[in-house]
Amino acid sequence: HIHELSLDWHLRKKLGEVLRSMDRGIQACDTLMKYLFLWLVPAITEMILVCVLFMSYFNYLPLAAAVFLFVFVYMVMTIVLTLWRKKFRKAVAKSDNDWHDRCTDSLINFETVKYFTAEKYEMDRFGTAVKAYQTGSVNVQASLSLLN
């Protein structure tokens, strides 16, 4: 697909960002499958079976309703907090793309950087991008701690 894009795109490309986005897409598919089919579906199935067991075997509907209600509230709170964390994750993904892009482009265009003696400039750009990534990463970890 990338080879079929226009010359203009290739001249303005951000190779580091493209590579990082492709990596992130592959990881996202893997994570979705892992969480959905290995954790979420079995947990919901277990919750339903436990509620049916409490209703049929123990013949006690209030206990089954309480279990269902508490697990449902837990699921809703997890979804709400996860959606709130999304803004932190987006900021980290953008800063991750930025520092990978700056690093890759700087290394690919090594001759140009040397020719214009822009090593200090490139190091400053890279340092700024890494600091933004680190700040965002701390925010993501703090929000994850709240979620857990």
Side-chain angles (χ1 to χ4, degrees):
H1 168 74
I2 292 175
H3 292 291
E4 295 174 2
L5 296 172
S6 68
L7 177 62
D8 183 53
W9 184 88
H10 283 282
L11 292 175
R12 293 183 298 116
K13 73 180 179 230
K14 295 182 174 185
L15 187 60
E17 188 174 336
V18 170
L19 293 174
R20 193 67 187 133
S21 295
M22 289 171 51
D23 268 353
R24 195 172 290 116
I26 292 168
Q27 283 180 333
C29 290
D30 180 52
T31 302
L32 177 69
M33 291 301 147
K34 182 171 52 174
Y35 281 109
L36 186 64
F37 292 112
L38 296 179
W39 291 344
L40 187 62
V41 171
I44 290 173
T45 305
E46 182 181 10
M47 177 191 67
I48 291 170
L49 289 174
V50 166
C51 289
V52 168
L53 181 72
F54 283 158
M55 283 190 320
S56 62
Y57 188 72
F58 294 115
N59 204 16
Y60 195 60
L61 183 62
L63 181 60
V67 167
F68 182 80
L69 177 70
F70 288 125
V71 172
F72 181 76
V73 168
Y74 174 75
M75 286 175 21
V76 168
M77 289 300 298
T78 300
I79 291 169
V80 167
L81 285 174
T82 301
L83 292 176
W84 171 72
R85 288 186 67 234
K86 190 176 178 182
K87 64 183 174 185
F88 298 117
R89 295 286 303 160
K90 277 187 176 184
V92 166
K94 184 184 179 325
S95 62
D96 187 36
N97 283 349
D98 287 346
W99 82 264
H100 275 89
D101 178 47
R102 289 181 183 163
C103 180
T104 304
D105 286 347
S106 178
L107 292 174
I108 287 176
N109 298 315
F110 172 78
E111 296 87 4
T112 306
V113 172
K114 279 296 205 186
Y115 181 75
F116 289 104
T117 61
E119 294 92 349
K120 173 94 170 94
Y121 174 74
E122 289 295 326
M123 287 188 333
D124 290 343
R125 284 181 61 213
F126 181 73
T128 303
V130 169
K131 285 180 187 172
Y133 175 77
Q134 289 172 339
T135 302
S137 182
V138 167
N139 290 338
V140 166
Q141 289 302 319
S143 66
L144 181 62
S145 296
L146 177 67
L147 181 62
N148 289 335

